[in-house]
Amino acid sequence: MSRTDGSQGNAPEAPRDAGGVSRRSLAAQALGRVDPITKGVVPPLHVATTFIRDPDNAYSSGFVYARPDNATVREAEAVLAMLEEAAGALLFGSGMAAATALFGALEPGDHVVAPNVMYWALKRWLREEGPRRGLSADFVDADRPEALRGAVRPGRTKLVWIETPGNPLWTVTDIAAAAEIAHAAGARLAVDSTAASPVHTRPLALGADLVMHSGTKILNGHSDVVAGVLATRKADAFWARIGALRASGGAILGPFEAYLLTRSLRTLHLRATAQAAAALDLARRLTAHPNVARVLYPGLPDDPGHAVAARQMEGGFGYMLSIRVAGGEAAAIATAARVRLWKRATSLGGVESLIEHRASVEGPGTPCPADLLRLSTGIEDPADLYADLDAALTSAHG
Ligand SMILES: *Cc1c(COP(=O)(O)O)cnc(C)c1O
């Protein structure tokens, strides 16, 4: 088993469809759908908001109105459900809309366990908006299964939420262990898999009930669409309630964004694999840099999350890493100020590499150290990416 390139792990065997075709091939062809009228290899973009009713008052096309449902959105959802090996997928107007729809499907009085290290805006939502909706949440170090086990309250905890690797420290949570703990307490397990992508982790195959992605990140990958995804292992009553909330609340993704997302999913495997390889290359080189105190990346053999990551991730360890800059906050901000090729911006997963002083964004109460720079690795030449960081780190200390 190769531990540093992630080419092998104990993750369940990657499935193929009935014809023996891999997820990669199915995604490259967006499931092989064609335009039934022209036979075009790209299905048309469906923009209609309303549909003709039959003379007998039926809707034989199955489409009535575009707030609950749209054919172009359905196409993207079908590709995403295939990638996640899910019974269904739903697209939302943002990752936050997807996540809050899931929390919105819980009942007042329900208890939630969530990680200390997770997407900052969602943690704030759980803290500030959750209680107003009758939800209570406990935040624990989810990378320690004992902490999860100690936090679940059998019968009261209805959802265990994890994020792996967890933004912005890239802590790794054992999905199979978390699923066992959640299920023993009578709760569902949901995984924010944004930093892993379906290429590197298949949470449902590891026992999770639901998967969430910010489609804004590597799924779309070109920094030009805001989108969110939920996918489910079972099309059960909870899933139906999430769908009903999306339909009534109007949180569906727009058709043009869904069209762009499907286009991006055709190249997801190539992008994710290249971006993860570049992230590993950078992580290794930065470890040896005199002005870097620490590199946080689960692909490094001495990373605390490496053993679990090597087991549950496949084909790489993802496109995100962080560095802690020797010299502290001022040196970190000075380094970010000096890069030329890296783009100084928030967000992640695009083909262009981004650098961010994350503590400035998250503010007081963040677990993010002040000396940390978050790096989202794109598809540029890794040698150029390293040279630019090296020059910035060196001159910031000069
Ligand atoms: C960006 C992000 C979100 C939120 O997604 P939006 O599309 O910005 O609403 C949630 N989780 C993670 C890990 C993210 O990076």
Side-chain angles (χ1 to χ4, degrees):
M1 177 170 110
S2 167
R3 295 216 141 194
T4 46
D5 68 10
S7 60
Q8 284 294 317
N10 297 336
E13 195 188 331
R16 289 163 178 268
D17 76 352
V21 178
S22 65
R23 293 182 304 148
R24 173 185 180 170
S25 297
L26 293 169
Q29 300 188 351
L31 298 173
R33 297 197 174 155
V34 299
D35 174 10
I37 295 173
T38 66
K39 308 293 180 200
V41 296
V42 177
L45 168 54
H46 293 278
V47 294
T49 56
T50 192
F51 301 84
I52 303 291
R53 194 166 200 162
D54 304 332
D56 66 359
N57 232 22
Y59 276 107
S60 54
S61 76
F63 291 93
V64 177
Y65 184 57
R67 191 184 67 229
D69 198 4
N70 171 277
T72 301
V73 173
R74 275 195 198 177
E75 272 159 24
E77 288 170 344
V79 178
L80 288 160
M82 179 277 295
L83 284 168
E84 288 295 354
E85 301 154 22
L90 288 168
L91 275 165
F92 293 80
S94 70
M96 283 295 287
T100 57
L102 199 162
F103 288 109
L106 296 171
E107 300 295 332
D110 285 354
H111 177 245
V112 173
V113 175
N116 281 321
V117 178
M118 66 179 283
Y119 183 66
W120 182 244
L122 185 57
K123 191 175 191 182
R124 193 174 55 203
W125 188 94
L126 274 175
R127 280 205 180 119
E128 293 175 7
E129 301 296 333
R132 303 174 77 154
R133 289 158 174 76
L135 299 178
S136 59
D138 279 315
F139 297 91
V140 300
D141 292 330
D143 52 324
R144 294 192 304 113
E146 323 80 81
L148 281 179
R149 198 169 279 120
V152 290
R153 303 187 204 152
R156 266 209 64 203
T157 304
K158 293 294 156 57
L159 185 73
V160 175
W161 178 272
I162 61 173
E163 178 180 322
T164 185
N167 182 40
L169 306 180
W170 318 115
T171 47
V172 176
T173 299
D174 186 331
I175 296 171
E180 181 253 292
I181 293 163
H183 295 159
R188 288 183 172 79
L189 176 69
V191 182
D192 181 341
S193 196
T194 301
S197 93
V199 172
H200 299 306
T201 307
R202 291 176 293 125
L204 301 182
L206 292 162
D209 301 286
L210 297 142
V211 182
M212 173 256 160
H213 289 277
S214 168
T216 316
K217 312 301 168 54
I218 198 165
L219 293 182
N220 183 64
H222 295 73
S223 305
D224 55 6
V225 166
V226 175
V229 186
L230 293 178
T232 188
R233 191 152 55 87
K234 278 196 300 226
D236 57 8
F238 188 71
W239 183 246
R241 169 134 173 84
I242 293 171
L245 285 173
R246 188 189 73 169
S248 60
I252 194 171
L253 186 66
F256 184 58
E257 286 73 14
Y259 166 79
L260 286 175
L261 184 59
T262 300
R263 193 176 195 272
S264 291
L265 292 173
R266 290 171 178 266
T267 58
L268 174 65
H269 193 279
L270 289 180
R271 288 184 290 107
T273 306
Q275 289 175 232
L280 179 61
D281 177 72
L282 278 173
R284 284 181 178 150
R285 296 205 215 194
L286 288 165
T287 301
H289 199 286
N291 298 338
V292 173
R294 218 184 125 194
V295 178
L296 295 88
Y297 186 63
L300 293 174
D302 59 354
D303 187 88
H306 182 69
V308 173
R311 204 162 65 222
Q312 80 182 7
M313 299 184 81
E314 333 165 28
F317 296 93
Y319 54 97
M320 294 304 301
L321 70 156
S322 293
I323 56 174
R324 298 189 60 179
V325 179
E329 178 170 19
I333 291 172
T335 300
R338 282 168 167 77
V339 291
R340 291 157 161 266
L341 183 62
W342 290 77
K343 299 291 172 227
R344 207 166 31 252
T346 197
S347 197
L348 38 133
V351 290
E352 65 287 294
S353 294
L354 304 181
I355 186 167
E356 180 174 45
H357 182 253
R358 190 66 198 159
S360 309
V361 177
E362 300 199 354
T366 172
C368 178
D371 59 4
L372 182 143
L373 292 176
R374 189 177 79 176
L375 306 176
S376 172
T377 315
I379 61 167
E380 304 92 337
D381 184 337
D384 291 339
L385 291 174
Y386 180 74
D388 190 39
L389 274 180
D390 175 34
L393 282 161
T394 304
S395 75
H397 282 75

